[in-house]
């Protein structure tokens, strides 16, 4: 994990990083979903609404399909620029909807890697807050709650980093006396998604399998990089 001095005196910020998780779904859209893009344009909706609606009809675990979200290398827990994305478990039963769900689940497994490091350091998350584009998806929030085994909330602010900078500026200019005061005055929880025990138990089995894949493929990633760069 990255460890930084916090803006609040005496506190620390621990951060795990998975490269561009929302960007992986955007890659999938751009590479494989031109039909859905055209249909969404005709219907006047976001294409992600169509993709996640299809993925919601697929059972948790995508019927044995796993996705390693390393299209741009990885930082946490594997600082490996050669790591690459992988679909594993593909069969004739799988559709595009299965692939979408596998991407959502794989990215969430990747985020859980950081959470597990925190848990190993005896840091328990009482609440997990979703922000950014992925936080707008009810399906993705439910997948996160089930994979993490903890409630996932959304707040009244979608763009967390930019809003955080604005709050720090407010503290710096004296608008607020402290960072906690600024947060308490402006941020509120608007929804909570609770984990489902039976799905969490299923995802636990899938996560253990997911965790076994990178060590098995690390040498292959290195060989692929050598071939590309030769």
């Amino acid at each position: 994990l990255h460890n930084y001095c916090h803006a609040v005196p005496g506190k620390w910020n621990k951060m795990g990083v998975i490269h561009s998780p929302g960007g992986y779904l955007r890659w999938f859209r751009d590479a494989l979903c031109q039909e859905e893009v055209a249909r969404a344009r005709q219907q006047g909706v976001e294409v992600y609404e169509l993709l996640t609606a299809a993925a919601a009809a697929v059972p948790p675990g995508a019927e044995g399909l796993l996705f390693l979200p390393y299209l741009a290398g990885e930082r946490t827990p594997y600082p490996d620029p050669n790591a690459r994305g992988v679909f594993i478990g593909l069969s004739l039963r799988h559709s595009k909807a299965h692939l979408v769900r596998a991407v959502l689940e794989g990215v969430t497994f990747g985020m859980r890697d950081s959470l597990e490091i925190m848990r190993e350091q005896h840091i328990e998350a009482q609440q997990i807050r979703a922000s950014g584009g992925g936080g707008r998806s009810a399906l993705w929030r439910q997948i996160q709650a089930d994979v993490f085994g903890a409630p996932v909330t959304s707040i009244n602010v979608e763009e967390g980093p930019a809003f955080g900078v604005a709050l720090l500026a407010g503290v710096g200019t004296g608008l607020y006396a402290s960072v906690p005061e600024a947060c308490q005055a402006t941020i509120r929880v608007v929804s909570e998604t609770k984990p489902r025990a039976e799905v969490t138990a299923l995802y636990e089995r899938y996560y253990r399998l997911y965790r076994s894949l990178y060590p098995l493929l690390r040498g292959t990633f290195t060989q692929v990089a050598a071939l590309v760069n030769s």
Side-chain angles (χ1 to χ4, degrees):
L1 294 176
H2 303 284
N3 295 280
Y4 300 105
C5 292
H6 201 284
V8 178
K11 302 293 184 181
W12 290 85
N13 176 47
K14 287 182 174 288
M15 183 176 72
V17 178
I18 176 172
H19 280 303
S20 188
Y24 297 152
L25 187 59
R26 184 173 63 243
W27 161 81
F28 187 87
R29 175 202 69 184
D30 293 343
L32 299 171
C33 299
Q34 295 311 303
E35 176 185 342
E36 288 79 6
V37 169
R39 182 148 45 92
R41 190 176 297 115
Q42 291 174 351
Q43 297 178 10
V45 298
E46 271 282 347
V47 66
Y48 296 116
E49 294 180 30
L50 301 183
L51 296 178
T52 55
V58 173
E63 298 190 86
L65 181 61
L66 288 166
F67 173 68
L68 296 190
Y70 307 145
L71 275 71
E74 193 50 292
R75 284 169 65 181
T76 306
Y78 312 115
D80 184 355
N82 293 327
R84 288 296 178 262
V86 175
F87 282 106
I88 191 165
L90 272 171
S91 70
L92 293 174
R93 73 194 302 169
H94 292 121
S95 65
K96 188 182 294 184
H98 287 82
L99 294 171
V100 174
R101 184 164 192 118
V103 169
L104 297 174
E105 292 175 343
V107 166
T108 307
F109 288 146
M111 291 190 289
R112 179 171 165 177
D113 282 342
S114 296
L115 181 60
E116 287 302 309
I117 296 174
M118 294 179 188
R119 286 170 171 168
E120 289 168 4
Q121 297 176 359
H122 306 293
I123 301 169
E124 274 300 325
Q126 301 302 315
Q127 185 185 94
I128 296 170
R129 292 184 172 181
S131 63
R136 291 195 292 268
S137 168
L139 173 63
W140 210 343
R141 292 198 305 272
Q142 186 64 65
I143 289 173
Q144 290 179 45
D146 292 334
V147 169
F148 299 151
V152 171
T153 62
S154 61
I155 59 176
N156 59 315
V157 179
E158 288 187 351
E159 299 305 329
F163 192 76
V165 170
L167 291 182
L168 292 177
V171 174
T173 58
L175 181 62
Y176 301 106
S178 67
V179 173
E181 178 187 307
C183 294
Q184 291 165 9
T186 60
I187 298 173
R188 66 180 186 277
V189 172
V190 297
S191 72
E192 180 182 64
T193 303
K194 295 182 178 180
R196 300 167 294 179
E198 69 283 3
V199 182
T200 295
L202 176 65
Y203 274 141
E204 187 67 27
R205 295 163 61 193
Y206 272 93
Y207 177 66
R208 296 304 162 193
L209 180 57
Y210 168 91
R211 281 294 299 267
S212 72
L213 294 175
Y214 173 81
L216 294 173
L217 293 170
R218 178 170 51 199
T220 302
F221 292 146
T222 301
Q223 293 178 55
V224 170
L227 285 171
V228 171
N229 297 322
S230 62

